Amino acid sequence: MNKFACFIYHIQNQSKGLRQDMDISQGWICDTCGTLIDSPSDGRMEWLEYKSGGILKGRGLRLVHHLSASPLKASSTLGCYSYTETYASGLCDAELSEFLGDDGLMLLLSKLANDQLPQDEVIEMIKRLHVSGYEKARLHFDAAASADVFEPSADKGYYSRQDIEAVLEFIKSRD
């Protein structure tokens, strides 16, 4: 597989356009170990690519610790990476910073528009990376709704600013 296809979207100025608002800069949750990824340089996106009818497709979009920042690096040669050498021909990964800011949002939207990754995976990643407070709140929406902290809308998974803030307050009150 042509590695260039996996990294064509790499931009020269990786820090350009990074969002600096407080909730997003507080980090992201690793999909493998469940602990905080403190900075963009500590995170990686990984996914698998394959050809389907001559078209490059992907699946399994995940946010994980870079090996050098992984809490699992002492116990595993892969650290928090999920995909092993078995998938080496279709394994793609990129720095988290490439998916942040305006350029990162456009990159994710282009993958969505070109059907390069599953719609649900891309939409969820956009919410995690670009909606302030969502990443911290996302694992607590069900518990907060059960505790009557907010009334979920008919569109499960699409929360208002007010709902996200209510869940963040709910999390604070439980700590």
Side-chain angles (χ1 to χ4, degrees), residues 50-57:
Y50 58 97
K51 283 205 174 185
S52 175
I55 299 170
L56 196 59
K57 298 271 189 177

Side-chain angles (χ1 to χ4, degrees), residues 111-160:
K111 290 198 172 291
L112 186 64
N114 295 317
D115 199 27
Q116 292 174 322
L117 286 165
Q119 179 179 352
D120 59 333
E121 293 178 16
V122 175
I123 289 172
E124 183 65 13
M125 198 58 69
I126 287 171
K127 291 187 287 186
R128 291 177 67 183
L129 299 179
H130 295 277
V131 176
S132 183
Y134 181 84
E135 178 69 350
K136 188 171 185 179
R138 74 184 174 92
L139 301 175
H140 304 277
F141 285 121
D142 290 339
S146 294
D148 294 324
V149 170
F150 73 101
E151 183 70 32
S153 71
D155 295 327
K156 185 170 174 54
Y158 295 90
Y159 303 98
S160 70

